[in-house]
């Protein structure tokens, strides 16, 4: 990857991340409150659906930029070493590495954002101060492991499926896809990935919102999943799946479509 391609991935990824996070923020708030242990209405219901948006605004650009720079760099590195049959596995590896790096930026903003969404009476700055005072800097990374373990399976489904759908459409069309066509592929891939990984998203939400010192806050995903299943059943494991699928399908359309558009403009 040369310098121009690196810059294009950085800027396109960051712009795409900001577009989707700010446009669809209310849906994300509703999903978080549906998954909250205290219940939807106690967590705020439909009030203050933009609570936590400053945290999302600050974190979305570096988070998405880090993902795409890592994703495209890994694809580029392995391009000359793998056969066509191994291409999906290259995409899986690239997406997994991208998520690990991106979560270094995503998790602190996600912690502050979700706690603000579940406590709309507090503002983003107050939630950040409370987190640092009660848990220190490590508190901002609570749920890092559960977030990575949610994002990697998600990306293992979404990105190979996105690349596959684009390749199929390319072959049938007989030429390069427009940005809106890449966006449609992104919406389909994102919707499928969102639904199958909803239980991991529920576990991540419970861990991030749990009080410090509780068993849930320890971040043991199998234990938290069992706790959710025992207290709320299968429906609890898929709580918020409808807004999550809606959010990520629409987000996939905007995110991957915007990424393709901006990247092609810069190259």
């Amino acid at each position: 990857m040369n310098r121009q391609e690196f810059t294009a991935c950085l800027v396109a990824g960051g712009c795409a991340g900001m577009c989707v996070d700010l446009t669809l923020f209310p849906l994300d708030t509703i999903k978080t409150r549906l998954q909250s242990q205290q219940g939807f209405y106690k967590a705020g219901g439909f009030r203050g659906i933009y609570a936590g948006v400053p945290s999302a605004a600050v974190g979305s650009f570096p988070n998405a930029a880090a993902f795409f720079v890592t994703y495209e760099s890994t694809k580029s590195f392995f391009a000359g070493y793998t056969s066509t049959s191994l291409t999906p596995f290259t995409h899986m590896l690239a997406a997994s590495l991208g998520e690990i790096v991106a979560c270094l930026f995503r998790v602190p903003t996600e912690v502050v954002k979700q706690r603000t969404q579940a406590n709309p009476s507090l503002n983003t700055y107050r939630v950040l101060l409370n987190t640092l005072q009660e848990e220190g800097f490590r508190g901002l990374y609570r749920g890092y492991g559960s977030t990575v373990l949610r994002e990697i399976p998600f990306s293992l489904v979404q990105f190979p499926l996105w690349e596959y759908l684009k390749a199929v459409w390319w072959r049938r069309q007989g030429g390069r896809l427009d940005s809106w066509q890449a966006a449609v592929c992104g919406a389909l891939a994102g919707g499928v990935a969102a639904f199958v990984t909803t239980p991991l998203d529920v576990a991540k939400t419970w861990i991030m919102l749990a009080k410090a010192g509780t068993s849930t806050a320890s971040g043991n995903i199998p234990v938290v999943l069992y706790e959710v299943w025992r207290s709320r059943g299968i429906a609890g494991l898929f709580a918020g799946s409808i807004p999550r699928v809606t959010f990520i399908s629409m987000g996939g359309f905007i995110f991957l479509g915007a990424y393709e558009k901006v990247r092609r403009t810069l190259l």
Side-chain angles (χ1 to χ4, degrees):
M1 178 182 285
N2 59 39
R3 187 171 181 175
Q4 184 181 11
E5 290 172 331
F6 177 88
T7 303
C9 291
L10 184 76
V11 175
C15 291
M18 289 193 70
C19 284
V20 69
D21 285 348
L22 299 181
T23 302
L24 302 180
F25 191 84
L27 277 176
D28 184 61
T29 300
I30 291 169
K31 181 218 63 166
T32 296
R33 292 174 180 175
L34 284 169
Q35 294 176 348
S36 171
Q37 286 172 284
Q38 59 186 316
F40 179 71
Y41 289 103
K42 287 186 178 179
F46 292 103
R47 294 182 294 106
I49 56 174
Y50 280 95
V53 74
S55 177
V58 169
S60 59
F61 189 99
N63 159 34
F67 173 83
F68 274 112
V69 166
T70 307
Y71 178 71
E72 296 290 356
S73 296
T74 305
K75 279 173 55 182
S76 177
F77 177 79
F78 284 102
Y81 298 97
T82 56
S83 62
T84 305
S85 61
L86 294 177
T87 298
F89 297 101
T90 301
H91 294 157
M92 289 180 182
L93 176 62
S96 299
L97 292 176
E99 293 296 355
I100 291 170
V101 174
C103 281
L104 294 172
F105 300 93
R106 181 180 304 150
V107 172
T109 57
E110 189 85 353
V111 167
V112 174
K113 181 196 74 175
Q114 288 203 311
R115 292 180 181 182
T116 309
Q117 288 172 327
N119 296 279
S121 60
L122 300 177
N123 60 37
T124 299
Y125 180 66
R126 175 50 55 189
V127 170
L128 174 62
L129 284 184
N130 289 348
T131 301
L132 291 173
Q133 289 170 356
E134 294 174 11
E135 302 175 62
F137 186 75
R138 289 184 63 183
L140 293 175
Y141 280 92
R142 191 207 288 177
Y144 178 83
S146 60
T147 304
V148 169
L149 290 176
R150 177 199 66 174
E151 297 295 355
I152 287 180
F154 177 85
S155 291
L156 289 178
V157 176
Q158 184 188 33
F159 282 90
L161 184 56
W162 179 53
E163 300 280 6
Y164 172 75
L165 292 172
K166 288 196 299 177
V168 170
W169 203 339
W170 179 305
R171 286 196 299 267
R172 292 192 176 182
Q173 180 172 284
R176 183 179 180 180
L177 301 185
D178 291 330
S179 298
W180 71 266
Q181 293 171 307
V184 171
C185 294
L188 292 172
V192 172
F195 182 77
V196 300
T197 58
T198 296
L200 294 173
D201 188 54
V202 172
K204 187 263 316 179
T205 299
W206 278 44
I207 290 167
M208 285 187 171
L209 297 183
K211 291 183 179 180
T214 61
S215 59
T216 302
S218 66
N220 190 315
I221 294 174
V223 170
V224 175
L225 287 173
Y226 176 72
E227 185 182 343
V228 175
W229 175 78
R230 187 182 61 182
S231 62
R232 301 193 180 182
I234 294 296
L237 290 172
F238 285 89
S241 59
I242 293 176
R244 175 170 163 79
V245 170
T246 303
F247 174 87
I248 293 179
S249 293
M250 294 172 64
F253 184 90
I254 298 169
F255 184 57
L256 297 174
Y259 172 74
E260 289 279 343
K261 183 67 175 178
V262 175
R263 183 168 177 268
R264 289 177 186 178
T265 302
L266 295 174
L267 289 177

PDB file of all heavy atoms in Angstrom, residues 28-46:
ATOM      1  N   ASP A  28     -29.273   3.524  17.763  1.00  0.00           N
ATOM      2  CA  ASP A  28     -28.294   2.910  18.656  1.00  0.00           C
ATOM      3  C   ASP A  28     -28.697   3.117  20.112  1.00  0.00           C
ATOM      4  O   ASP A  28     -28.540   2.214  20.941  1.00  0.00           O
ATOM      5  CB  ASP A  28     -26.912   3.516  18.393  1.00  0.00           C
ATOM      6  CG  ASP A  28     -25.825   2.854  19.226  1.00  0.00           C
ATOM      7  OD1 ASP A  28     -25.627   1.633  19.061  1.00  0.00           O
ATOM      8  OD2 ASP A  28     -25.195   3.535  20.037  1.00  0.00           O
ATOM      9  N   THR A  29     -29.221   4.290  20.442  1.00  0.00           N
ATOM     10  CA  THR A  29     -29.682   4.573  21.801  1.00  0.00           C
ATOM     11  C   THR A  29     -30.832   3.646  22.185  1.00  0.00           C
ATOM     12  O   THR A  29     -30.856   3.071  23.288  1.00  0.00           O
ATOM     13  CB  THR A  29     -30.141   6.032  21.927  1.00  0.00           C
ATOM     14  OG1 THR A  29     -29.043   6.897  21.620  1.00  0.00           O
ATOM     15  CG2 THR A  29     -30.632   6.344  23.333  1.00  0.00           C
ATOM     16  N   ILE A  30     -31.787   3.479  21.281  1.00  0.00           N
ATOM     17  CA  ILE A  30     -32.934   2.593  21.548  1.00  0.00           C
ATOM     18  C   ILE A  30     -32.454   1.163  21.769  1.00  0.00           C
ATOM     19  O   ILE A  30     -32.920   0.474  22.690  1.00  0.00           O
ATOM     20  CB  ILE A  30     -33.945   2.668  20.383  1.00  0.00           C
ATOM     21  CG1 ILE A  30     -34.615   4.054  20.367  1.00  0.00           C
ATOM     22  CG2 ILE A  30     -34.999   1.564  20.491  1.00  0.00           C
ATOM     23  CD1 ILE A  30     -35.430   4.329  19.128  1.00  0.00           C
ATOM     24  N   LYS A  31     -31.514   0.700  20.950  1.00  0.00           N
ATOM     25  CA  LYS A  31     -30.985  -0.662  21.102  1.00  0.00           C
ATOM     26  C   LYS A  31     -30.317  -0.838  22.460  1.00  0.00           C
ATOM     27  O   LYS A  31     -30.531  -1.840  23.156  1.00  0.00           O
ATOM     28  CB  LYS A  31     -29.982  -0.947  19.986  1.00  0.00           C
ATOM     29  CG  LYS A  31     -29.383  -2.342  20.027  1.00  0.00           C
ATOM     30  CD  LYS A  31     -27.916  -2.354  19.641  1.00  0.00           C
ATOM     31  CE  LYS A  31     -27.067  -1.569  20.589  1.00  0.00           C
ATOM     32  NZ  LYS A  31     -25.623  -1.807  20.464  1.00  0.00           N
ATOM     33  N   THR A  32     -29.499   0.144  22.876  1.00  0.00           N
ATOM     34  CA  THR A  32     -28.806   0.068  24.158  1.00  0.00           C
ATOM     35  C   THR A  32     -29.799  -0.016  25.309  1.00  0.00           C
ATOM     36  O   THR A  32     -29.625  -0.807  26.244  1.00  0.00           O
ATOM     37  CB  THR A  32     -27.892   1.295  24.351  1.00  0.00           C
ATOM     38  OG1 THR A  32     -26.877   1.276  23.343  1.00  0.00           O
ATOM     39  CG2 THR A  32     -27.237   1.299  25.721  1.00  0.00           C
ATOM     40  N   ARG A  33     -30.856   0.774  25.250  1.00  0.00           N
ATOM     41  CA  ARG A  33     -31.848   0.784  26.330  1.00  0.00           C
ATOM     42  C   ARG A  33     -32.688  -0.497  26.354  1.00  0.00           C
ATOM     43  O   ARG A  33     -33.086  -0.957  27.428  1.00  0.00           O
ATOM     44  CB  ARG A  33     -32.733   2.023  26.202  1.00  0.00           C
ATOM     45  CG  ARG A  33     -31.957   3.306  26.487  1.00  0.00           C
ATOM     46  CD  ARG A  33     -32.753   4.570  26.242  1.00  0.00           C
ATOM     47  NE  ARG A  33     -31.934   5.742  26.529  1.00  0.00           N
ATOM     48  CZ  ARG A  33     -32.327   6.999  26.316  1.00  0.00           C
ATOM     49  NH1 ARG A  33     -33.527   7.248  25.812  1.00  0.00           N
ATOM     50  NH2 ARG A  33     -31.527   8.007  26.613  1.00  0.00           N
ATOM     51  N   LEU A  34     -32.932  -1.075  25.202  1.00  0.00           N
ATOM     52  CA  LEU A  34     -33.633  -2.360  25.153  1.00  0.00           C
ATOM     53  C   LEU A  34     -32.794  -3.470  25.797  1.00  0.00           C
ATOM     54  O   LEU A  34     -33.333  -4.414  26.389  1.00  0.00           O
ATOM     55  CB  LEU A  34     -33.965  -2.737  23.702  1.00  0.00           C
ATOM     56  CG  LEU A  34     -35.133  -2.003  23.049  1.00  0.00           C
ATOM     57  CD1 LEU A  34     -35.154  -2.284  21.550  1.00  0.00           C
ATOM     58  CD2 LEU A  34     -36.456  -2.416  23.687  1.00  0.00           C
ATOM     59  N   GLN A  35     -31.476  -3.374  25.664  1.00  0.00           N
ATOM     60  CA  GLN A  35     -30.586  -4.399  26.198  1.00  0.00           C
ATOM     61  C   GLN A  35     -30.199  -4.152  27.655  1.00  0.00           C
ATOM     62  O   GLN A  35     -29.668  -5.052  28.314  1.00  0.00           O
ATOM     63  CB  GLN A  35     -29.307  -4.455  25.353  1.00  0.00           C
ATOM     64  CG  GLN A  35     -29.530  -4.934  23.928  1.00  0.00           C
ATOM     65  CD  GLN A  35     -28.269  -4.888  23.089  1.00  0.00           C
ATOM     66  OE1 GLN A  35     -27.272  -4.303  23.486  1.00  0.00           O
ATOM     67  NE2 GLN A  35     -28.310  -5.512  21.924  1.00  0.00           N
ATOM     68  N   SER A  36     -30.457  -2.949  28.167  1.00  0.00           N
ATOM     69  CA  SER A  36     -30.057  -2.589  29.522  1.00  0.00           C
ATOM     70  C   SER A  36     -30.717  -3.488  30.564  1.00  0.00           C
ATOM     71  O   SER A  36     -31.887  -3.869  30.441  1.00  0.00           O
ATOM     72  CB  SER A  36     -30.425  -1.122  29.793  1.00  0.00           C
ATOM     73  OG  SER A  36     -30.240  -0.789  31.141  1.00  0.00           O
ATOM     74  N   GLN A  37     -29.972  -3.832  31.627  1.00  0.00           N
ATOM     75  CA  GLN A  37     -30.508  -4.663  32.698  1.00  0.00           C
ATOM     76  C   GLN A  37     -31.681  -4.013  33.406  1.00  0.00           C
ATOM     77  O   GLN A  37     -32.564  -4.699  33.918  1.00  0.00           O
ATOM     78  CB  GLN A  37     -29.402  -4.970  33.718  1.00  0.00           C
ATOM     79  CG  GLN A  37     -28.382  -5.989  33.228  1.00  0.00           C
ATOM     80  CD  GLN A  37     -27.219  -6.115  34.183  1.00  0.00           C
ATOM     81  OE1 GLN A  37     -26.353  -5.254  34.229  1.00  0.00           O
ATOM     82  NE2 GLN A  37     -27.183  -7.189  34.952  1.00  0.00           N
ATOM     83  N   GLN A  38     -31.700  -2.679  33.465  1.00  0.00           N
ATOM     84  CA  GLN A  38     -32.768  -1.983  34.174  1.00  0.00           C
ATOM     85  C   GLN A  38     -34.044  -1.856  33.350  1.00  0.00           C
ATOM     86  O   GLN A  38     -35.079  -1.453  33.866  1.00  0.00           O
ATOM     87  CB  GLN A  38     -32.286  -0.595  34.608  1.00  0.00           C
ATOM     88  CG  GLN A  38     -31.837   0.304  33.460  1.00  0.00           C
ATOM     89  CD  GLN A  38     -31.238   1.606  33.956  1.00  0.00           C
ATOM     90  OE1 GLN A  38     -31.761   2.243  34.868  1.00  0.00           O
ATOM     91  NE2 GLN A  38     -30.116   2.012  33.371  1.00  0.00           N
ATOM     92  N   GLY A  39     -33.984  -2.254  32.091  1.00  0.00           N
ATOM     93  CA  GLY A  39     -35.179  -2.205  31.256  1.00  0.00           C
ATOM     94  C   GLY A  39     -35.246  -0.933  30.427  1.00  0.00           C
ATOM     95  O   GLY A  39     -34.637   0.089  30.770  1.00  0.00           O
ATOM     96  N   PHE A  40     -36.015  -1.002  29.335  1.00  0.00           N
ATOM     97  CA  PHE A  40     -36.066   0.084  28.363  1.00  0.00           C
ATOM     98  C   PHE A  40     -36.521   1.408  28.957  1.00  0.00           C
ATOM     99  O   PHE A  40     -35.865   2.438  28.798  1.00  0.00           O
ATOM    100  CB  PHE A  40     -36.982  -0.321  27.202  1.00  0.00           C
ATOM    101  CG  PHE A  40     -37.139   0.736  26.140  1.00  0.00           C
ATOM    102  CD1 PHE A  40     -36.096   1.041  25.286  1.00  0.00           C
ATOM    103  CD2 PHE A  40     -38.336   1.440  26.004  1.00  0.00           C
ATOM    104  CE1 PHE A  40     -36.230   2.019  24.297  1.00  0.00           C
ATOM    105  CE2 PHE A  40     -38.483   2.401  25.016  1.00  0.00           C
ATOM    106  CZ  PHE A  40     -37.424   2.697  24.171  1.00  0.00           C
ATOM    107  N   TYR A  41     -37.660   1.415  29.666  1.00  0.00           N
ATOM    108  CA  TYR A  41     -38.212   2.682  30.135  1.00  0.00           C
ATOM    109  C   TYR A  41     -37.430   3.271  31.304  1.00  0.00           C
ATOM    110  O   TYR A  41     -37.262   4.490  31.400  1.00  0.00           O
ATOM    111  CB  TYR A  41     -39.689   2.510  30.483  1.00  0.00           C
ATOM    112  CG  TYR A  41     -40.542   2.319  29.255  1.00  0.00           C
ATOM    113  CD1 TYR A  41     -41.010   1.062  28.907  1.00  0.00           C
ATOM    114  CD2 TYR A  41     -40.827   3.390  28.408  1.00  0.00           C
ATOM    115  CE1 TYR A  41     -41.767   0.871  27.751  1.00  0.00           C
ATOM    116  CE2 TYR A  41     -41.569   3.221  27.255  1.00  0.00           C
ATOM    117  CZ  TYR A  41     -42.040   1.955  26.929  1.00  0.00           C
ATOM    118  OH  TYR A  41     -42.770   1.769  25.782  1.00  0.00           O
ATOM    119  N   LYS A  42     -36.919   2.410  32.194  1.00  0.00           N
ATOM    120  CA  LYS A  42     -36.096   2.912  33.297  1.00  0.00           C
ATOM    121  C   LYS A  42     -34.772   3.471  32.799  1.00  0.00           C
ATOM    122  O   LYS A  42     -34.180   4.344  33.443  1.00  0.00           O
ATOM    123  CB  LYS A  42     -35.855   1.797  34.315  1.00  0.00           C
ATOM    124  CG  LYS A  42     -37.087   1.462  35.151  1.00  0.00           C
ATOM    125  CD  LYS A  42     -36.750   0.451  36.230  1.00  0.00           C
ATOM    126  CE  LYS A  42     -37.967   0.148  37.089  1.00  0.00           C
ATOM    127  NZ  LYS A  42     -37.669  -0.863  38.152  1.00  0.00           N
ATOM    128  N   ALA A  43     -34.311   2.951  31.670  1.00  0.00           N
ATOM    129  CA  ALA A  43     -33.058   3.446  31.089  1.00  0.00           C
ATOM    130  C   ALA A  43     -33.260   4.736  30.313  1.00  0.00           C
ATOM    131  O   ALA A  43     -32.292   5.313  29.802  1.00  0.00           O
ATOM    132  CB  ALA A  43     -32.447   2.385  30.183  1.00  0.00           C
ATOM    133  N   GLY A  44     -34.515   5.192  30.212  1.00  0.00           N
ATOM    134  CA  GLY A  44     -34.772   6.461  29.529  1.00  0.00           C
ATOM    135  C   GLY A  44     -35.846   6.408  28.472  1.00  0.00           C
ATOM    136  O   GLY A  44     -36.340   7.444  28.021  1.00  0.00           O
ATOM    137  N   GLY A  45     -36.214   5.182  28.020  1.00  0.00           N
ATOM    138  CA  GLY A  45     -37.249   5.063  26.998  1.00  0.00           C
ATOM    139  C   GLY A  45     -36.874   5.839  25.738  1.00  0.00           C
ATOM    140  O   GLY A  45     -35.764   5.709  25.233  1.00  0.00           O
ATOM    141  N   PHE A  46     -37.803   6.666  25.289  1.00  0.00           N
ATOM    142  CA  PHE A  46     -37.555   7.460  24.079  1.00  0.00           C
ATOM    143  C   PHE A  46     -37.056   8.870  24.407  1.00  0.00           C
ATOM    144  O   PHE A  46     -36.914   9.705  23.510  1.00  0.00           O
ATOM    145  CB  PHE A  46     -38.841   7.554  23.240  1.00  0.00           C
ATOM    146  CG  PHE A  46     -39.245   6.236  22.632  1.00  0.00           C
ATOM    147  CD1 PHE A  46     -40.279   5.491  23.185  1.00  0.00           C
ATOM    148  CD2 PHE A  46     -38.589   5.728  21.517  1.00  0.00           C
ATOM    149  CE1 PHE A  46     -40.648   4.270  22.633  1.00  0.00           C
ATOM    150  CE2 PHE A  46     -38.953   4.512  20.959  1.00  0.00           C
ATOM    151  CZ  PHE A  46     -39.988   3.776  21.525  1.00  0.00           C
TER     152      PHE A  46
END
